[in-house]
Amino acid sequence: MNKAFKFLSLSKRQKFVFSVLILSLGLFASEFLHGYSLIGFAFILSAMTVVLLYFSLKNDIRDTFHYPIFILPVLFTLSFVVFYPLVPARLLTRI
């Protein structure tokens, strides 16, 4: 199997962990953005959420594909990235 498609041969749990790590790094990077760049990055991260969730669950949703599966993760990612800078900058709230 080609090395480029090695991501597709992982188990569902491994794909999910990989997706969580990528999105967590994206959320960490979003702390350093402000203004319009933050909003653009939030939409990019939400699109990445859809793509990574689809690749993680591709085998399970093959027979019964429903679009509402993707609504909650996209809205959660979008709202978290946009509203997280509004949290007070205390040490305990940033952990």
Side-chain angles (χ1 to χ4, degrees):
M1 183 174 266
N2 193 356
K3 289 184 179 182
F5 296 109
K6 189 170 182 166
F7 178 74
L8 299 174
S9 67
L10 298 174
S11 71
K12 182 171 62 171
R13 181 176 293 170
Q14 291 171 336
K15 290 178 188 178
F16 183 72
V17 168
F18 178 74
S19 301
V20 167
L21 289 175
I22 296 294
L23 292 173
S24 296
L25 288 174
L27 288 173
F28 178 73
S30 72
E31 289 185 30
F32 303 107
L33 299 174
H34 301 288
Y36 291 114
S37 60
L38 177 66
I39 295 172
F41 189 73
F43 283 111
I44 290 170
L45 205 58
S46 295
M48 283 178 49
T49 302
V50 170
V51 171
L52 291 173
L53 182 67
Y54 176 75
F55 282 128
S56 296
L57 299 177
K58 184 173 62 172
N59 293 333
D60 292 337
I61 61 175
R62 181 175 295 163
D63 298 331
T64 58
F65 181 75
H66 299 289
Y67 290 107
I69 294 172
F70 299 106
I71 292 173
L72 189 60
V74 168
L75 291 179
F76 177 75
T77 304
L78 188 64
S79 63
F80 188 81
V81 171
V82 171
F83 294 113
Y84 185 70
L86 298 176
V87 176
R90 296 183 194 149
L91 179 62
L92 293 177
T93 58
R94 291 286 178 153
I95 293 179

